[in-house]
Amino acid sequence: MPDTIDFLKVRRSVKPREMSGPGPTAAELDTILTIGARVPDHGKLAPWRFIVFEGDARAHAGEAIARVFAEKHPAAPAADIAAEKLRLMEAPLVIAVVSSIRSHPKVPAWEQELSAGASCLNIVTAATALGYGANWLTGWMTYDRDVLDALGLQPHEKLAGFIHIGTATKPSEDRPRPALAEIVTRF
Ligand SMILES: Cc1cc2nc3c(=O)[nH]c(=O)nc-3n(C[C@H](O)[C@H](O)[C@H](O)COP(=O)(O)O)c2cc1C
């Protein structure tokens, strides 16, 4: 499919600060999530799930993030705490990809976690193909158990990342890509 190859050859992320509304429609969001769930998955374990943040939910999540930040940094200036509140506010839609693995005799945790990464990229790719900007981000809050608890993750679950999705306000600049000669060998 030449169109798909052409698209994949130039796909690149858009910074959330270079996004605004509108975000995907409800039908487009369904498409994005469906494609996020259509990824290689050894053992058909579906070792991922998605949390959608839109509208006020983004601010509520930001308040939880800022609360944990303030507890852990009691000397933090108010401006830093205010900035944490805005973590999910730049793009109109943020999808958290949760890695939800289980013990399996044939499918190691690593493979299940890789499948969550595949979900993240499929979400980025699907949103981009629909004409939106997308960006896969993590940050300290991705690895903070108190934040994860506040966002509703179970103790065994981890976050693969937050995918920010919106309308690009300017063309995204590409970045250098590795030369194949540096990353490819023949055995
Ligand atoms: C797991 C993961 C976490 C990332 N976290 C961040 C982050 O917290 N902040 C950031 O600026 N970029 C982060 N990035 C990089 C962005 O996604 C970046 O925009 C992307 O690598 C651009 O590549 P592309 O143009 O090929 O889409 C992360 C990437 C991955 C794979």
Side-chain angles (χ1 to χ4, degrees):
M1 283 188 262
D3 289 353
T4 307
I5 292 295
D6 289 344
F7 164 71
L8 291 174
K9 279 165 88 174
V10 299
R11 182 215 56 78
R12 57 186 186 265
S13 298
V14 173
K15 294 183 179 71
R17 66 171 175 270
E18 295 173 1
M19 291 179 196
S20 68
T25 64
E28 288 172 330
L29 176 56
D30 261 17
T31 298
I32 291 167
L33 295 171
T34 302
I35 291 171
R38 193 179 185 87
V39 292
D41 160 15
H42 190 177
K44 297 190 275 291
L45 300 175
W48 19 255
R49 64 186 184 88
F50 312 126
I51 306 173
V52 174
F53 301 90
E54 284 184 296
D56 291 347
R58 298 170 306 148
H60 295 150
E63 276 157 26
I65 292 167
R67 192 167 52 245
V68 173
F69 179 82
E71 280 163 15
K72 293 185 178 171
H73 302 88
D80 290 3
I81 296 168
E84 294 298 337
K85 287 189 184 168
L86 301 176
R87 281 275 181 184
L88 305 189
M89 292 303 287
E90 287 170 317
L93 166 67
V94 180
I95 300 170
V97 176
V98 178
S99 165
S100 192
I101 68 168
R102 68 179 89 152
S103 182
H104 189 281
K106 287 195 188 143
V107 186
W110 165 239
E111 294 188 9
Q112 298 183 46
E113 290 172 355
L114 288 172
S115 186
S119 251
C120 290
L121 182 59
N122 255 23
I123 288 171
V124 166
T125 305
T128 310
L130 285 168
Y132 296 97
N135 205 319
W136 175 359
L137 300 181
T138 48
W140 70 271
M141 65 279 182
T142 305
Y143 304 104
D144 187 289
R145 198 68 246 172
D146 294 323
V147 170
L148 300 187
D149 290 348
L151 297 182
L153 273 72
Q154 299 295 309
H156 72 283
E157 293 181 323
K158 297 198 275 189
L159 259 190
F162 294 94
I163 317 298
H164 300 243
I165 299 170
T167 298
T169 53
K170 54 186 271 202
S172 172
E173 276 179 29
D174 204 2
R175 61 191 177 90
R177 307 289 168 171
L180 288 187
E182 289 167 14
I183 56 166
V184 181
T185 52
R186 285 182 196 273
F187 187 77

